């Protein structure tokens, strides 16, 4: 596998910022977007269960509706692609079985050989103590996907802005998720920064590494 040089990664992360103003006329090309969708799919998750969906909104009318329930933030309507991170409200045996069957298919295995793993997941997430906080568990998985998406976007030279300033309930209504067992957690518009976004050149404010990184040798 080929890899980028370490300095290139840091350059991309220094370049990225939470874009406040998008160029509404500049769209992400199909090849680049396909790679970003693949990055979402390849995001790791606890047990590998992927308790999420990613709703990609390009329709302008829908983006405008979502802007109205996103504190009127212009990024939502002006971006190229608006990604909504949606989680499974409750983990159930059916989802776990589906994951086991997919694993068996991809790896050419007998599903029965994973019965122990399946029972462990059910015992933990469906029947165990974590079933009481499963929405929070699923939300944490979604944030892993959000971080992975933003890093991938930066490496590809695509701007993004993570958003929690949204009304998840209204998002669910607009996107037809209400009552489906899936719910909105956060969102991330993606596209290309406007030339006059003053925040693009603002210096990043981060605590010194000595305050954040702890080495135990």
């Amino acid at each position: 596998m080929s890899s980028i040089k370490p300095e290139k990664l840091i350059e991309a992360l220094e370049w990225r910022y939470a874009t406040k103003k998008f160029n509404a006329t500049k769209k992400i090309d199909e090849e680049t977007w396909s790679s970003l969708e693949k990055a979402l799919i390849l995001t790791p998750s606890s047990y590998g269960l992927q308790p999420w969906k990613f709703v990609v909104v390009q329709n302008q009318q829908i983006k405008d509706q979502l802007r109205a329930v996103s504190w009127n933030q212009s990024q939502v309507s002006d971006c190229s692609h608006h990604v909504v991170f949606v989680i499974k409200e409750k983990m159930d045996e059916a989802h776990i079985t589906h994951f086991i069957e997919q694993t068996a298919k991809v790896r050419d295995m007998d599903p029965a050989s994973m019965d122990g793993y399946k029972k462990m997941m059910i015992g933990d997430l469906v029947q165990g103590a974590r079933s009481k906080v499963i929405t929070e568990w699923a939300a944490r998985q979604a944030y892993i996907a959000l971080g992975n998406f933003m890093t991938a976007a930066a490496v590809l030279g695509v701007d993004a802005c993570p958003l929690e300033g949204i009304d998840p309930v209204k998002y669910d209504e607009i996107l037809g998720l209400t009552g489906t067992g899936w719910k909105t957690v956060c969102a991330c518009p993606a596209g290309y920064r406007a030339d006059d976004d003053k925040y693009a050149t603002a210096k990043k404010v981060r605590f010194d590494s000595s305050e954040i990184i702890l080495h135990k040798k």
Side-chain angles (χ1 to χ4, degrees), residues 59-152:
N59 180 282
Q60 191 60 48
Q61 183 178 2
I62 298 176
K63 287 195 294 181
D64 291 342
Q65 291 178 44
L66 293 175
R67 173 176 175 168
V69 293
S70 304
W71 298 2
N72 198 37
Q73 295 177 88
S74 64
Q75 299 100 310
V76 176
S77 57
D78 293 345
C79 68
S80 172
H81 295 62
H82 188 50
V83 185
V84 183
F85 292 74
V86 176
I87 60 167
K88 190 170 178 61
E89 292 188 76
K90 290 185 178 181
M91 184 52 61
D92 50 44
E93 188 171 338
H95 185 88
I96 293 173
T97 297
H98 179 47
F99 169 67
I100 290 294
E101 291 174 345
Q102 181 68 4
T103 302
K105 176 183 175 182
V106 171
R107 297 180 177 174
D108 193 22
M109 299 169 61
D110 179 358
S113 69
M114 291 177 282
D115 280 349
Y117 188 44
K118 178 180 178 179
K119 290 178 182 178
M120 179 177 67
M121 289 188 286
I122 292 172
D124 180 22
L125 303 175
V126 180
Q127 302 169 345
R130 280 213 281 186
S131 66
K132 307 300 182 184
V133 293
I134 202 65
T135 302
E136 289 78 6
W137 171 85
R140 289 195 289 271
Q141 310 310 308
Y143 280 101
I144 296 173
L146 173 62
N148 196 45
F149 176 75
M150 289 192 296
T151 299

